[in-house]
Amino acid sequence: MPETSHSRARGNLLGQLPKRVDVYEVGPRDGLQNELRTLPTRDKARLINALVEAGEKRIEVTSFVSPKWIPQLADAEELLRLVGRREGVVFSALVPNLKGLERAKEAGLEEAAVFISASEAHSKKNINKSIAEAMAGAREVTTAALQAGMRVRGYLSTVWGCPYEGHVPVERVVDICRHLVDAGIYQLSLGDTIGVGTPRQTEEILDALLKHIPVEKLALHLHDTRGTALANSLVGLSAGVTTFDASIGGLGGCPYAPGAAGNLATEDAVFMFHGMGVETGINLDRLVEAGEIAQELIGRKLAGKFLQAALGEREKKASRRAQT
Amino acid sequence: MPETSHSRARGNLLGQLPKRVDVYEVGPRDGLQNELRTLPTRDKARLINALVEAGEKRIEVTSFVSPKWIPQLADAEELLRLVGRREGVVFSALVPNLKGLERAKEAGLEEAAVFISASEAHSKKNINKSIAEAMAGAREVTTAALQAGMRVRGYLSTVWGCPYEGHVPVERVVDICRHLVDAGIYQLSLGDTIGVGTPRQTEEILDALLKHIPVEKLALHLHDTRGTALANSLVGLSAGVTTFDASIGGLGGCPYAPGAAGNLATEDAVFMFHGMGVETGINLDRLVEAGEIAQELIGRKLAGKFLQAALGEREKKASRRAQT
């Protein structure tokens, strides 16, 4: 049969998707550090336990940053002690410098994350370093962390756009990524820090990167500020990306990027993946329970749509039972 | 160069997208009929005017349904009089039966919309008719509306799933669509009434329909209840669909479907389309102004993410100005 104008749509659009993906949970760190309310350590541990109960296997729990910078995360050591070790689960933490790494080693951290902005202006405002300085610092931390037996992950922020510079050239992103891979980083998490990305741009960014970096090394860290996180995830999934950062209930944003709000909600991502036959190993009902705990602890409704739909449905059922 | 495992991702995923799409605005009808607060007619007209000012060209403004069923829309005639005619803009209304059509004719309506559920149980609960009865009724209204010189659009609800039946067979959807096209309907709007759709399913539904119906006749009416409306839109766009129903700020849902909330927000759709180089003719800043009016009139924050991000940014700028 000859190709028709519709034949591309029929089955070729999404193509073969990965059978399974990992969700990398960033709620306890990226999420909570952006909340006004600082939680007691035992409450953070309670949330993390709920995420583990839901089947999450990769959870960034805190940051070994100076408490002067982010007082919300000053209890990193205590929190790691409290959550302990869980079979098959890797707890990671952000490690901004060698001082932080010493603390992380003492605390027995298994996986460290380093952080670089792809925008010169954002890097200056965020960590008061040029990109070159940040790259040197990340290499230093990575080398030391690898020597200490840790696995190291790299965050690359403002890849889709910067609140100060606007457009960020993809060539710069490629350069930084190659540098980080050379340094020994096992995975690069590409961040749409202010949530301005759209699917064609996501395709272009992945297109440029996949010429130099194997897809297994890439993760997407998408913000849902303008509602496009799942559409962008779909492009990543189609390109073979198998790790997606997400935050329970959509907790958190970026404190240094004006207007930034809303990590992709873990439940929304898991709902979409499961609906497409892409396994995550996560139990969606249990995830809703964890989202409910997150709401209770921070004292406000979260933006995650699946969470609100699930809680709304439960309320309706309860009110129908009460009426009969 | 031989094909590599990454070559599919490089440029073939999204392929050629339509250069321009239509947004079919359903906020004033689908949105407002689901709000608890009934607006005065002049407020509805104010909202519709703001949508026209933003560049919207296809707006469903009301329904000629019995006021006993939906008292919020009892002012259909007065509203059409108040909004008048606008150059290049088509105002449409839902017309459930011949009695409604008589009123629509009197009011000088240009475009009528008929409504059929793809789920037997939903059809019974929603309009107290079987699908067969609803199809007969839709044909009757369509024939009479065409004779009266109107254009007729058809809504097909619960295509992605039903709150009572669960799975809805796509063959049934195809049958109903063919019936409606035979009856003379110019466009079919496929509804994910309860917002349970995921992209693979969207691809399958379009795949099945496009074997029988030209893509120009299809529109997508997606709900964002679980956050997947834009990801599903992206699949539609890739398949060549060029009309997307959306509601200003995400106003409304489906009153008969438990747990349903949240039409796709017009601004979220327009932001994604423009970001991909797909024109809509709509001014996004003006759309935010219309969203603000919608919030003011109904007295609560709407769920649209772009809207909230834009309003949040403006507040931040204002507070920085106040500080300096």
Side-chain angles (χ1 to χ4, degrees), chain B residues 94-236:
Chain B
L94 209 64
V95 178
N97 49 38
L98 290 179
K99 202 168 162 188
L101 185 68
E102 283 312 308
R103 289 173 58 201
K105 271 158 71 175
E106 288 270 319
L109 189 73
E110 288 179 80
E111 177 171 323
V114 298
F115 177 96
I116 291 184
S117 179
S119 146
E120 206 63 75
H122 185 257
S123 188
K124 279 282 186 191
K125 290 238 184 194
N126 191 353
I127 55 170
N128 199 27
K129 284 180 182 170
S130 68
I131 294 177
E133 285 166 342
M135 289 212 286
R139 182 179 278 271
E140 194 176 49
V141 171
T142 301
T143 304
L146 292 171
Q147 277 165 2
M150 293 180 207
R151 197 157 82 143
V152 187
R153 190 171 200 249
Y155 283 108
L156 204 57
S157 72
T158 68
V159 171
W160 278 255
C162 166
Y164 313 110
E165 284 186 17
H167 175 70
V168 171
V170 72
E171 298 74 26
R172 198 193 291 157
V173 174
V174 171
D175 283 348
I176 300 171
C177 285
R178 296 177 79 174
H179 175 89
L180 291 176
V181 169
D182 280 351
I185 275 168
Y186 84 95
Q187 188 166 59
L188 292 156
S189 172
L190 308 171
D192 182 9
T193 312
I194 54 171
V196 291
T198 49
R200 182 66 88 188
Q201 188 189 7
T202 303
E203 189 180 40
E204 286 164 0
I205 289 168
L206 289 174
D207 187 20
L209 278 165
L210 287 173
K211 290 188 181 125
H212 304 280
I213 316 267
V215 73
E216 301 75 35
K217 285 205 178 292
L218 295 181
L220 294 178
H221 180 105
L222 300 165
H223 280 213
D224 207 23
T225 320
R226 288 161 188 84
T228 54
L230 281 184
N232 289 327
S233 300
L234 183 62
V235 174

Side-chain angles (χ1 to χ4, degrees), chain B residues 5-320:
Chain B
S5 65
H6 293 139
S7 66
R8 185 181 57 75
R10 296 215 258 271
N12 288 328
L13 164 66
L14 295 175
Q16 280 283 109
L17 298 178
K19 289 205 174 2
R20 190 188 160 100
V21 297
D22 275 1
V23 169
Y24 185 91
E25 173 66 46
V26 300
R29 196 278 302 171
D30 191 2
L32 289 181
Q33 84 172 51
N34 292 301
E35 292 295 333
L36 292 175
R37 185 188 287 189
T38 299
L39 297 189
T41 312
R42 64 174 182 284
D43 285 351
K44 294 180 185 174
R46 187 181 157 210
L47 176 60
I48 292 162
N49 283 331
L51 297 170
V52 171
E53 291 301 315
E56 295 216 45
K57 301 287 184 208
R58 296 171 72 187
I59 307 176
E60 191 176 76
V61 293
T62 187
S63 172
F64 287 96
V65 67
S66 166
K68 277 183 290 183
W69 291 3
I70 307 180
Q72 298 95 310
L73 304 179
D75 60 351
E77 285 86 350
E78 195 195 334
L79 180 60
L80 275 180
R81 207 159 38 235
L82 218 55
V83 296
R85 303 247 174 201
R86 302 291 289 267
E87 180 75 29
V89 179
V90 176
F91 294 125
S92 58
L94 209 64
V95 178
N97 49 38
L98 290 179
K99 202 168 162 188
L101 185 68
E102 283 312 308
R103 289 173 58 201
K105 271 158 71 175
E106 288 270 319
L109 189 73
E110 288 179 80
E111 177 171 323
V114 298
F115 177 96
I116 291 184
S117 179
S119 146
E120 206 63 75
H122 185 257
S123 188
K124 279 282 186 191
K125 290 238 184 194
N126 191 353
I127 55 170
N128 199 27
K129 284 180 182 170
S130 68
I131 294 177
E133 285 166 342
M135 289 212 286
R139 182 179 278 271
E140 194 176 49
V141 171
T142 301
T143 304
L146 292 171
Q147 277 165 2
M150 293 180 207
R151 197 157 82 143
V152 187
R153 190 171 200 249
Y155 283 108
L156 204 57
S157 72
T158 68
V159 171
W160 278 255
C162 166
Y164 313 110
E165 284 186 17
H167 175 70
V168 171
V170 72
E171 298 74 26
R172 198 193 291 157
V173 174
V174 171
D175 283 348
I176 300 171
C177 285
R178 296 177 79 174
H179 175 89
L180 291 176
V181 169
D182 280 351
I185 275 168
Y186 84 95
Q187 188 166 59
L188 292 156
S189 172
L190 308 171
D192 182 9
T193 312
I194 54 171
V196 291
T198 49
R200 182 66 88 188
Q201 188 189 7
T202 303
E203 189 180 40
E204 286 164 0
I205 289 168
L206 289 174
D207 187 20
L209 278 165
L210 287 173
K211 290 188 181 125
H212 304 280
I213 316 267
V215 73
E216 301 75 35
K217 285 205 178 292
L218 295 181
L220 294 178
H221 180 105
L222 300 165
H223 280 213
D224 207 23
T225 320
R226 288 161 188 84
T228 54
L230 281 184
N232 289 327
S233 300
L234 183 62
V235 174
L237 202 62
S238 270
V241 174
T242 53
T243 302
F244 295 85
D245 296 5
S247 172
I248 186 73
L251 207 61
C254 174
Y256 309 102
N263 277 289
L264 170 58
T266 310
E267 322 80 61
D268 291 357
V270 169
F271 170 74
M272 184 176 89
F273 293 151
H274 288 188
M276 302 175 76
V278 176
E279 287 311 312
T280 65
I282 295 172
N283 180 311
L284 201 42
D285 292 335
R286 289 290 188 88
L287 212 51
V288 169
E289 288 170 25
E292 221 183 343
I293 290 171
Q295 289 199 145
E296 182 198 321
L297 295 178
I298 62 157
R300 65 171 179 88
K301 279 202 173 193
L302 292 171
K305 292 203 168 178
F306 185 89
L307 177 65
Q308 296 312 331
L311 295 178
E313 267 177 27
R314 209 174 59 188
E315 262 171 49
K316 263 186 204 166
K317 274 182 200 159
S319 91
R320 272 200 301 271

Side-chain angles (χ1 to χ4, degrees), chain A residues 224-247:
Chain A
D224 207 22
T225 320
R226 289 162 187 84
T228 54
L230 280 184
N232 289 326
S233 300
L234 184 61
V235 173
L237 202 63
S238 270
V241 173
T242 52
T243 302
F244 295 85
D245 296 5
S247 174

Side-chain angles (χ1 to χ4, degrees), chain A residues 245-321:
Chain A
D245 296 5
S247 174
I248 185 75
L251 208 61
C254 173
Y256 309 103
N263 277 289
L264 170 59
T266 310
E267 321 79 61
D268 292 356
V270 169
F271 170 72
M272 185 177 88
F273 295 150
H274 288 188
M276 302 175 75
V278 177
E279 285 311 312
T280 65
I282 295 172
N283 179 312
L284 201 43
D285 291 334
R286 287 291 186 89
L287 212 51
V288 169
E289 288 170 25
E292 220 183 345
I293 290 171
Q295 291 199 143
E296 180 196 322
L297 295 178
I298 62 158
R300 66 172 178 88
K301 278 201 173 195
L302 292 170
K305 292 203 169 178
F306 185 89
L307 177 64
Q308 297 311 331
L311 296 178
E313 267 178 25
R314 208 174 58 188
E315 261 171 49
K316 263 187 206 166
K317 273 183 201 159
S319 90
R320 272 201 298 272
R321 269 199 303 275

Side-chain angles (χ1 to χ4, degrees), chain A residues 72-268:
Chain A
Q72 298 93 310
L73 304 179
D75 60 350
E77 286 85 351
E78 195 195 336
L79 180 60
L80 275 181
R81 208 159 38 235
L82 218 53
V83 297
R85 304 248 174 202
R86 302 290 290 267
E87 179 77 29
V89 179
V90 177
F91 294 124
S92 59
L94 209 64
V95 178
N97 49 38
L98 290 178
K99 202 166 160 190
L101 185 69
E102 284 312 307
R103 289 173 59 202
K105 271 157 70 173
E106 287 271 318
L109 189 72
E110 288 178 81
E111 177 171 323
V114 297
F115 177 96
I116 290 185
S117 179
S119 147
E120 207 61 74
H122 185 256
S123 188
K124 279 283 186 190
K125 290 239 185 194
N126 191 354
I127 56 171
N128 197 29
K129 284 181 182 170
S130 68
I131 294 177
E133 287 167 342
M135 289 213 287
R139 183 179 278 271
E140 196 176 50
V141 170
T142 302
T143 306
L146 292 171
Q147 277 165 2
M150 292 179 205
R151 197 156 82 144
V152 187
R153 191 173 200 250
Y155 282 108
L156 204 57
S157 72
T158 69
V159 171
W160 278 254
C162 166
Y164 313 110
E165 285 187 14
H167 175 71
V168 171
V170 72
E171 299 74 26
R172 197 193 290 157
V173 175
V174 171
D175 283 349
I176 301 171
C177 284
R178 296 177 78 174
H179 174 90
L180 292 175
V181 169
D182 280 352
I185 275 168
Y186 85 94
Q187 187 166 61
L188 291 156
S189 171
L190 308 171
D192 182 9
T193 312
I194 54 171
V196 291
T198 48
R200 182 68 88 189
Q201 188 189 6
T202 304
E203 187 180 43
E204 285 163 3
I205 289 167
L206 289 175
D207 188 19
L209 278 165
L210 289 174
K211 290 188 181 123
H212 304 279
I213 316 266
V215 73
E216 300 75 36
K217 284 206 179 292
L218 296 181
L220 294 178
H221 181 104
L222 299 166
H223 280 213
D224 207 22
T225 320
R226 289 162 187 84
T228 54
L230 280 184
N232 289 326
S233 300
L234 184 61
V235 173
L237 202 63
S238 270
V241 173
T242 52
T243 302
F244 295 85
D245 296 5
S247 174
I248 185 75
L251 208 61
C254 173
Y256 309 103
N263 277 289
L264 170 59
T266 310
E267 321 79 61
D268 292 356

